[in-house]
Amino acid sequence: MTHAVADHPVLDPTVAPPFPVAALPVLRNPQLRKNVAHAMDVIQAKRARLVEEKADWQALRSAGAAIRDHVLENLGAYLEQFEERCTAAGGVVHWAADAAGARRIVLEILRAEKAAEVIKIKSMTTAEIQLNPYLEAAGVGVFETDLAEIILQLGREEPSHIVVPALHVNRSQVREIFARSMGIRDLSDNPQALTAAARNYLRRKFLTVPTAISGANFLIAESGGVAVVESEGNGRMCLTLPRTMITVAGIEKVLPRYQDLEVMLQVLARSATGERMNPYTSLWTGVTPGDGPQRFHVILLDNGRSQILGRKTERQTLRCIRCAACMNACPVYRQTGGHAYGSVYPGPIGAILTPQLMQMHHAQSLPYASSLCGACYEVCPVKINIPEVLIELRAQVTDQERRQVRRFFDPMYLGMRMAGLLLSRAWLFHAAQRMGRLGLRFFTGKDGWIHSLPGMGAQWTQTRDLRGMPGETFHEWWTKHKKEAR
Amino acid sequence: MNAAASPRQQALERIRAATRNPAASVEPAGSYASLRRDYIGHGALPAESRIALMLERLREYDAEVTECPPEALPATIAAQLLASGRHAFVAPAGLPQEWLAPQFAWKVDRDLPAAEIEQAEGVVTTCFCAIADSGTIVLHHSASEGRRVLSLLPDWHLCILRASQVVETLPEYFSLCKQPPRLVTWISGPSATADIEMTRIKGVHGPRFLHVILVRDPVADPTSNLQPDQAR
């Protein structure tokens, strides 16, 4: 396969190059790999310390998984309950089948509001539906307000992590981006100064832009409430100052009761940033006279989720609360960073979520972007067995590919068909063993090891030696000795 | 699937087909009650250690903490306002009048526009409760806790917390909520970010300074009147 390595990472799974190709730019950049590894080490160490001090961590994980499974099992009923309560509290609930539908609804609301600009709270769901480019093309000025998101937006960079999306950008790059786009001449590259620049840049926007867009961490069915978890206070600004609030939430985000947050909030921040609790969490219910936006819309987004819901092994993917612990723990993510995944959802969760959201039509290389070591499963606060889902998805990808005519001569599928043939007939298998022994004799050194093979075999011998075939198989040995024993 | 159906009906039909749960047979509350919750509900710390833990957490977050007996509260507030070096403050409409020391410029929030709140150098509020385990201050935005914007725009937030309001664990807080509150803000330290090279920076958009006055009112030990299995 020939794929040009793009200068700029592509996070649209429909056109992104396959994972092994997309991973090359980072693999060839030792400094960037060091940055990613450093960030992962910092978060991992903090998380480990806080999980250690939590005596009931495993019980919290089990309860988290149970609550999320219960929600998924009864999703229709809980969504209807959420809709009813949210509407009763003054919110307007919309349903979107796919990304295009959700984008259209957002734009219609903005048109009705005559909104020329919006401020945004960092949201994976709006990134998933690629809302910003769509709104910008429609003439709406979009202002991200999370520090990392500002860095990405102003620097025309792509996110590489779901919690710390700008971790691949270093301080001098941030300085350059801010100095250029905010027109500040003497800006130091001290993170404190850079953060202050962002604060000043956004303060006016918060106070003047009347429309905001957010995602949701949780929807509460019992009350119709929506919860957003954050660190900086930009979320609180967006949730408090504008006149109109639009929330885009995946249908799986619902929790039965307010009380269920006692589990989710205990595991989320610890898993995400290694804090006992994130600095700010906000919950609001519809509209409250005199406090915050007086018009509130929620868009419930399906976009492939109901398909995932209908599949036995894969359903657990929807338990995810987007903490990013899996990517922080992943040895593959650590080497490649987030851009290689060609999706706004990188890391192990991205490797299972992205191809499923694409209904297995795109991103088929992602289920292979894992060593199946299980570190992601171990840290997951809602116990998603990611390796299990990866294997299931690999099976689906294989089933897809082996039926494709253009893969008829693909060495892997050709080899597998050959193996199928040989392994199903004993005489053919024995013949193949004898042939193989003869053939490999040419490559076997005096020391009994094969040091180099031609063609595809070289992929093995480039990095390690292979034992030469023994003079006889166990089967042959046994046949001989059984006779002797008699 | 009916092509004329609304996106809502279509979505619910897809979800129902996926979960094979016809609407009539779904009884979420029933199976909800049987979900296993083996995590710690009530904490086991005696009152004094619980409060000490809360203070320790606040200090870890770089919040400033002052303690005072109940009768000294108005004087303590005035002293802290003075020590802050600030002069113009906002207060929620429900804050006791005797807390508004007359030597400062006060604006009481009766639908103050955001721009005016923005001009204030600080804000004084009460809170609903505090959770020691995570060092979290919970606002339900009652009349003395103020509207959400009030504790957001000023750079300095002075929060009055009574010792009797401190619970140990998050589940203890939730058991205090008979009804889900309409508006909630959980505050665990001042606004912060680690977005640039994982360096923790205090004060992005929310108040950069959080100051807590802990009022030493009498505290009952909530774990003492619980069943032993709850109090593990």
Side-chain angles (χ1 to χ4, degrees):
Chain A
M1 257 182 285
T2 54
H3 280 275
V5 178
D7 296 339
H8 198 73
V10 184
L11 298 195
D12 176 355
T14 60
V15 290
F19 183 83
V21 177
L24 290 176
V26 179
L27 293 180
R28 287 170 184 157
N29 183 341
Q31 186 57 47
L32 189 48
R33 281 166 75 180
K34 230 177 96 186
N35 294 352
V36 175
H38 168 69
M40 298 301 93
D41 285 343
V42 171
I43 308 179
Q44 279 269 82
K46 286 167 73 185
R47 176 200 168 272
R49 195 168 54 83
L50 290 188
V51 165
E52 189 85 353
E53 75 174 22
K54 206 86 190 116
D56 56 348
W57 182 250
Q58 295 306 335
L60 283 166
R61 285 180 78 213
S62 300
I67 293 168
R68 297 293 299 137
D69 276 347
H70 168 81
V71 165
L72 296 173
E73 186 65 48
N74 303 284
L75 190 58
Y78 281 126
L79 283 171
E80 280 187 301
Q81 192 184 12
F82 171 80
E83 181 188 39
E84 183 207 316
R85 305 286 154 89
C86 178
T87 309
V92 182
V93 179
H94 309 257
W95 300 72
D98 53 20
R103 291 191 298 247
R104 223 169 22 242
I105 296 169
V106 172
L107 189 60
E108 277 166 20
I109 298 169
L110 295 181
R111 291 262 153 88
E113 293 282 327
K114 300 193 171 43
E117 295 185 330
V118 291
I119 45 178
K120 276 190 74 202
I121 310 179
K122 174 179 165 352
S123 142
M124 292 313 300
T125 313
T126 61
E128 173 191 324
I129 64 169
Q130 301 181 29
L131 184 62
N132 292 9
Y134 174 84
L135 292 182
E136 279 157 9
V140 179
V142 180
F143 297 93
E144 290 289 350
T145 62
D146 173 77
L147 180 56
E149 295 287 343
I150 301 168
I151 296 170
L152 300 178
Q153 193 182 32
L154 296 180
R156 307 230 157 262
E157 292 274 342
E158 297 293 344
S160 65
H161 190 276
I162 68 173
V163 172
V164 274
L167 70 87
H168 60 287
V169 187
N170 65 34
R171 62 177 75 190
S172 63
Q173 291 166 311
V174 175
R175 193 207 74 84
E176 213 167 287
I177 292 168
F178 281 10
R180 177 163 32 86
S181 41
M182 296 175 189
I184 311 170
R185 216 171 278 160
D186 336 294
L187 185 61
S188 105
D189 68 356
N190 174 335
Q192 186 87 52
L194 295 170
T195 305
R199 179 185 168 103
N200 295 334
Y201 168 77
L202 281 175
R203 201 72 179 200
R204 283 294 112 204
K205 290 284 167 210
F206 287 136
L207 288 165
T208 55
V209 178
T211 315
I213 298 176
S214 81
N217 286 93
F218 305 103
L219 308 174
I220 311 297
E222 162 188 43
S223 62
V226 182
V228 162
V229 170
E230 55 145 348
S231 294
E232 297 175 9
N234 62 308
R236 292 177 68 194
M237 293 279 180
C238 292
L239 296 172
T240 313
L241 293 167
R243 184 182 65 207
T244 303
M245 181 76 217
I246 305 168
T247 297
V248 185
I251 51 172
E252 82 282 16
K253 287 281 153 96
V254 68
L255 290 177
R257 297 200 185 157
Y258 180 60
Q259 195 201 349
D260 295 316
L261 289 173
E262 74 185 21
V263 178
M264 300 305 160
L265 292 182
Q266 285 198 73
V267 295
L268 180 52
R270 282 183 169 82
S271 300
T273 50
E275 295 170 295
R276 292 191 184 90
M277 190 70 89
N278 49 292
Y280 298 136
T281 299
S282 298
L283 179 136
W284 71 100
T285 313
V287 298
T288 304
D291 194 338
Q294 294 301 297
R295 284 172 228 164
F296 173 52
H297 299 264
V298 189
I299 300 164
L300 299 174
L301 174 75
D302 184 337
N303 204 28
R305 288 163 171 80
S306 57
Q307 284 227 345
I308 304 176
L309 186 67
R311 301 190 65 97
K312 187 163 166 269
T313 308
E314 295 97 307
R315 180 186 283 184
Q316 56 185 318
T317 311
L318 298 177
R319 281 186 206 153
C320 178
I321 56 173
R322 307 285 188 265
C323 72
C326 59
M327 55 202 78
N328 300 342
C330 179
V332 175
Y333 177 94
R334 189 186 174 86
Q335 297 301 327
T336 65
H339 292 155
Y341 294 79
S343 158
V344 298
Y345 299 113
I349 189 63
I352 61 171
L353 183 60
T354 304
Q356 295 189 77
L357 289 178
M358 293 286 116
Q359 307 191 358
M360 302 308 287
H361 297 314
H362 300 283
Q364 289 99 333
S365 65
L366 290 186
Y368 295 91
S370 166
S371 66
L372 302 180
C373 73
C376 47
Y377 180 26
E378 211 160 287
V379 296
C380 178
V382 287
K383 283 190 167 175
I384 302 170
N385 188 338
I386 293 177
E388 183 185 43
V389 181
L390 283 168
I391 290 168
E392 169 60 33
L393 297 182
R394 286 182 185 186
Q396 288 176 27
V397 172
T398 306
D399 280 342
Q400 248 178 28
E401 288 184 348
R402 67 196 179 126
R403 294 195 196 95
Q404 291 167 349
V405 179
R406 68 185 169 90
R407 292 198 196 259
F408 193 80
F409 291 110
D410 182 309
M412 184 175 95
Y413 290 99
L414 203 61
M416 284 298 169
R417 277 202 305 279
M418 291 269 290
L421 196 71
L422 293 176
L423 292 169
S424 60
R425 289 165 184 81
W427 68 271
L428 259 179
F429 182 67
H430 293 312
Q433 278 179 324
R434 281 191 294 274
M435 296 269 291
R437 196 152 62 209
L438 274 172
L440 284 176
R441 203 166 284 171
F442 288 108
F443 304 100
T444 311
K446 286 206 180 68
D447 56 358
W449 286 85
I450 298 166
H451 300 288
S452 119
L453 280 171
M456 295 240 308
Q459 288 185 7
W460 180 276
T461 53
Q462 260 167 15
T463 48
R464 47 230 182 292
D465 294 338
L466 179 67
R467 247 284 177 228
M469 286 263 268
E472 60 182 358
T473 64
F474 174 76
H475 195 266
E476 288 162 345
W477 179 89
W478 179 253
T479 318
K480 218 156 58 193
H481 286 261
K482 202 163 64 178
K483 276 178 202 153
E484 281 170 17
R486 275 184 196 152
Chain B
M1 203 176 282
N2 181 2
S6 71
R8 174 185 187 278
Q9 282 168 309
Q10 288 180 10
L12 286 168
E13 259 175 63
R14 281 193 305 271
I15 292 163
R16 296 248 144 79
T19 50
R20 285 187 206 87
N21 257 337
S25 76
V26 178
E27 193 49 78
S31 49
Y32 178 84
S34 62
L35 293 177
R36 286 193 64 167
R37 293 170 189 269
D38 296 335
Y39 51 88
I40 295 168
H42 281 263
L45 290 180
E48 202 41 51
S49 327
R50 181 169 75 239
I51 290 152
L53 180 64
M54 181 69 205
L55 298 184
E56 186 191 321
R57 294 284 190 253
L58 285 170
R59 291 191 177 110
E60 275 174 31
Y61 290 134
D62 298 323
E64 262 190 73
V65 184
T66 313
E67 297 178 55
C68 76
E71 62 280 6
L73 181 57
T76 309
I77 293 174
Q80 294 310 319
L81 296 177
L82 187 66
S84 79
R86 293 169 168 82
H87 184 68
F89 297 97
V90 283
L95 211 66
Q97 190 60 42
E98 66 270 23
W99 293 5
L100 312 182
Q103 62 269 44
F104 302 98
W106 290 97
K107 274 189 180 157
V108 175
D109 178 38
R110 290 187 181 86
D111 274 327
L112 283 177
E116 263 183 70
I117 300 170
E118 157 87 356
Q119 297 304 314
E121 294 169 285
V123 58
V124 183
T125 75
T126 63
C127 60
F128 177 78
C129 80
I131 303 154
D133 179 53
S134 57
T136 304
I137 291 171
V138 184
L139 304 179
H140 280 187
H141 302 286
S142 69
S144 61
E145 294 161 48
R147 295 190 297 147
R148 288 179 294 169
V149 66
L150 208 63
S151 45
L152 177 63
L153 290 178
D155 211 17
W156 190 77
H157 180 191
L158 176 63
C159 187
I160 314 300
L161 170 66
R162 293 178 184 278
S164 58
Q165 288 178 300
V166 179
V167 298
E168 184 184 334
T169 68
L170 206 59
E172 283 174 51
Y173 154 69
F174 280 93
S175 66
L176 293 179
C177 300
K178 303 279 175 281
Q179 290 286 319
R182 201 177 170 98
L183 293 172
V184 193
T185 306
W186 285 267
I187 299 172
S188 308
S191 151
T193 184
D195 278 340
I196 301 172
E197 295 186 3
M198 306 308 294
T199 312
R200 189 182 154 95
I201 303 296
K202 223 174 69 169
V204 194
H205 301 296
R208 279 184 284 192
F209 307 95
L210 176 63
H211 196 128
V212 175
I213 294 180
L214 181 85
V215 183
R216 288 288 189 169
D217 63 351
V219 179
D221 210 328
T223 51
S224 58
N225 39 9
L226 290 168
Q227 299 304 311
D229 64 314
Q230 283 176 287
R232 63 196 170 101

